[in-house]
Amino acid sequence: ELKVEQNPLFLSMQEGKNYTIYCNYSTTSDRLYWYRQDPGKSLESLFVLLSNGAVKQEGRLMASLDTKARLSTLHITAAVHDLSATYFCAVTTGGNSGGSNYKLTFGKGTLLTVNP
Amino acid sequence: DSGVTQTPKHLITATGQRVTLRCSPRSGDLSVYWYQQSLDQGLQFLIQYYNGEERAKGNILERFSAQQFPDLHSELNLSSLELGDSALYFCASSRWDRDSYGYTFGSGTRLTVV
């Protein structure tokens, strides 16, 4: 059974600081996703990482994927209050041709709080 | 607006009752996925439909069932509701093929069982 582990689960940061969220998964996966969720809201797609060594950046967030280590990181640079949210990583496994069986398995999420 | 529409947004009902949650996928998406989010279990995959057919089942209780209709909208039926069924229920949709777009989530239905 695929397991996805995130750490830390809680992260309190000061504005302007850098930090990294880690996402480990237990079996071979073909894709890794990062989502952001504000309290009581939907999941907003941040990044889709498709291959080993993939790196994507958007604003103060940068995500990378190491499929050999089964590890993805979400790096936050110079945090600002607006980044406060819960961040989830998720992976897909298995699947038939045609992309018809690619359910997401999520980590527990990292609750990020950015303090002034 | 993500393009995935879920109704209703909020639902309050009593134990033992039955409810139906509805999801319209993004235009052109053939797959619909249902997820349950609760504080203790996190985000759990329930069931997936692809072009009207069930494709994958997760931790879905026997009291729960779903279907996808010819117009591709999907409904999740929850019956004999218990207090523990209170959660956020999300629907997500994806394209049929393996593109890099990913999965688009709806805004969710918050179910409260009292």
Side-chain angles (χ1 to χ4, degrees):
Chain A
E1 179 190 346
L2 172 63
K3 292 192 186 305
V4 180
E5 292 187 357
Q6 284 182 241
N7 69 84
L9 297 182
F10 301 93
L11 179 53
S12 181
M13 296 178 63
Q14 278 190 314
E15 279 191 331
K17 299 292 187 182
N18 304 332
Y19 211 84
T20 300
I21 300 171
Y22 297 89
C23 174
N24 288 91
Y25 51 97
S26 60
T27 63
T28 302
S29 173
D30 53 1
R31 297 186 174 191
L32 190 133
Y33 303 79
W34 284 97
Y35 286 91
R36 168 184 170 143
Q37 186 181 35
D38 292 302
K41 303 294 185 182
S42 184
L43 285 90
E44 173 193 354
S45 179
L46 295 174
F47 301 108
V48 181
L49 302 172
L50 303 177
S51 60
N52 187 42
V55 177
K56 290 196 174 180
Q57 183 163 4
E58 182 74 31
R60 300 176 188 274
L61 300 178
M62 183 174 71
S64 65
L65 178 62
D66 181 345
T67 57
K68 293 179 181 177
R70 298 177 185 164
L71 171 68
S72 179
T73 60
L74 181 66
H75 188 71
I76 302 153
T77 302
V80 293
H81 180 69
D82 284 352
L83 290 179
S84 297
T86 300
Y87 293 84
F88 291 92
C89 66
V91 300
T92 55
T93 58
N96 306 314
S97 61
S100 60
N101 189 20
Y102 293 100
K103 66 180 177 71
L104 288 165
T105 300
F106 284 88
K108 290 189 180 299
T110 297
L111 176 59
L112 172 65
T113 304
V114 181
N115 303 305
Chain B
D1 181 8
S2 68
V4 178
T5 305
Q6 287 189 250
T7 57
K9 293 194 182 306
H10 303 276
L11 202 47
I12 301 175
T13 190
T15 54
Q17 296 298 305
R18 172 189 169 95
V19 296
T20 298
L21 312 184
R22 182 188 169 104
C23 169
S24 294
R26 211 166 51 107
S27 178
D29 286 358
L30 297 181
S31 269
V32 169
Y33 306 77
W34 285 98
Y35 290 86
Q36 179 194 59
Q37 185 177 32
S38 61
L39 282 175
D40 54 343
Q41 296 293 321
L43 273 157
Q44 296 283 319
F45 168 72
L46 295 178
I47 197 164
Q48 178 207 355
Y49 279 83
Y50 171 69
N51 202 22
E53 293 185 4
E54 181 186 302
R55 281 305 178 111
K57 258 186 176 178
N59 300 321
I60 187 166
L61 300 172
E62 286 190 9
R63 301 183 284 109
F64 296 1
S65 65
Q67 54 184 327
Q68 186 179 27
F69 294 87
D71 67 351
L72 300 178
H73 91 270
S74 178
E75 293 181 355
L76 179 66
N77 300 298
L78 315 176
S79 62
S80 303
L81 285 167
E82 302 175 359
L83 295 178
D85 297 327
S86 296
L88 256 175
Y89 290 84
F90 286 108
C91 164
S93 70
S94 68
R95 304 283 187 194
W96 68 274
D97 57 350
R98 295 190 64 187
D99 61 26
S100 60
Y101 192 90
Y103 301 76
T104 305
F105 281 77
S107 57
T109 294
R110 181 171 293 280
L111 173 66
T112 304
V113 182
V114 298

